[in-house]
Amino acid sequence: MLRLAREAAPLTQDQLAQELGVDTGTVQGWESGRRPLANVKAGTLLELRRRLPALGAPGGIVGLLEAAMDADRILAAALGDAAGPHPLAGWVHTRDTAHMLAWALTGTTPPALAGRLPPIRRGPAPASPALPAGLRETVFAHLREATERAARQGEAGALLHRQALYLASYDRGGDAAAWTRAALHRSRDGLARRGFSAHWAGARSTAAALARQGDPQPLLDFIDRALADDDVAEAANLNYWAYWVGAMNTPQPDDSFMADRALASWDPVTLLRGLARGLHVAPGYVDLYAHTLWVLMVRFPWLPQAAGPLAGPLRERTAQLLDGAELSARSRRELGRVHYGLDHNR
């Protein structure tokens, strides 16, 4: 990410080093990982993040440096290069962090970088942070071990279990995929619970992982049983989405923030924008997006008027989904109401 920011400026390593008052070897070490950015002094990192936009680096790329460093910490823990508590046990990671990890583990380019990556070129510089096969296997093995270890810790290991299992589900190869399916199905008991509970976040994560693996029914069941028509669960879902898409900027050490029913720690327009950007047609996921958009507009009925330039594209997108997407009866009804609200207020 640092190399992308520097090249987008555009600057050479020598030029960036001169601007920052460091030697070229330091910049080379940052970009190669020999000197991890997460290990530099706080003042140095703050100066780097402030100077890069001033030097011409796009703010969207610079803004992803933190998520990239979070992903580095998780990978370092998985590869045995980090001490202390597991990074997946100490804070709730965001969508940007998950996308960075998926980039390294599966080669899937983060949506935030779509159209921003330089053309593939010859030479030693890699086109992406993709790990070699052997290291990927090590990371996934570690995630599976962390999932099993956390399961034995009960409530104390709930956050580590939820996040490690979700990331382990990125591994779709052979025996690993079978292990993931079995682990996810062992966690399905939480999907049967009605309304909000201590297991709600884990059940939501399990249902989402199963949907990504091609089984949308658990997520549809979760929406019907553990989300719809329960005020605390609906608030938890909005809070989680707000944190996931960056509408809530305060790092969260555990899942307890989801139960806050005040909905005052994030901006509804920013959440609407994040949901609109991420909206896609994958079965199960599109239903969760549809339900969340509808609840968000019910809770904040002024949103269609405040959406500004976002309203038009979102209105067109919801119309396309209503015309062609595979939707449950609930989702079709709720998405129709979202479309009507946007259309009525233009």
Side-chain angles (χ1 to χ4, degrees), residues 1-49:
M1 288 307 304
L2 178 58
R3 179 172 66 85
L4 286 176
R6 174 180 59 77
E7 292 179 344
L11 295 168
T12 66
Q13 289 180 333
D14 289 339
Q15 289 170 329
L16 179 59
Q18 185 175 0
E19 291 285 351
L20 296 175
V22 300
D23 59 79
T24 302
T26 296
V27 173
Q28 292 173 342
W30 288 342
E31 292 190 6
S32 68
R34 293 194 308 272
R35 297 181 178 182
L37 273 181
N39 292 348
V40 305
K41 293 181 179 179
T44 302
L45 181 59
L46 183 62
E47 176 67 12
L48 175 65
R49 294 181 62 182

Side-chain angles (χ1 to χ4, degrees), residues 3 13 88 101 106 108 115 144 152 165 185 200 205 214 223 225 230 274 276 308 317 337:
R3 179 172 66 85
Q13 289 180 333
L88 289 174
L101 287 163
T106 70
T108 303
R144 291 191 291 271
R152 295 191 293 269
L165 177 55
H185 282 281
W200 185 91
S205 184
I223 295 170
R225 297 174 183 173
D230 183 281
R317 184 61 173 145
R337 292 171 180 169

Side-chain angles (χ1 to χ4, degrees), residues 276-322:
R277 287 176 178 171
L279 187 60
H280 57 80
V281 297
Y285 275 111
V286 68
D287 300 274
L288 183 59
Y289 274 97
H291 182 75
T292 305
L293 282 168
W294 174 67
V295 172
L296 182 63
M297 289 192 177
V298 169
R299 294 294 182 95
F300 302 97
W302 46 264
L303 264 179
Q305 294 96 327
L310 175 65
L314 182 56
R315 184 175 61 249
E316 294 176 6
R317 184 61 173 145
T318 54
Q320 292 170 355
L321 291 171
L322 288 167

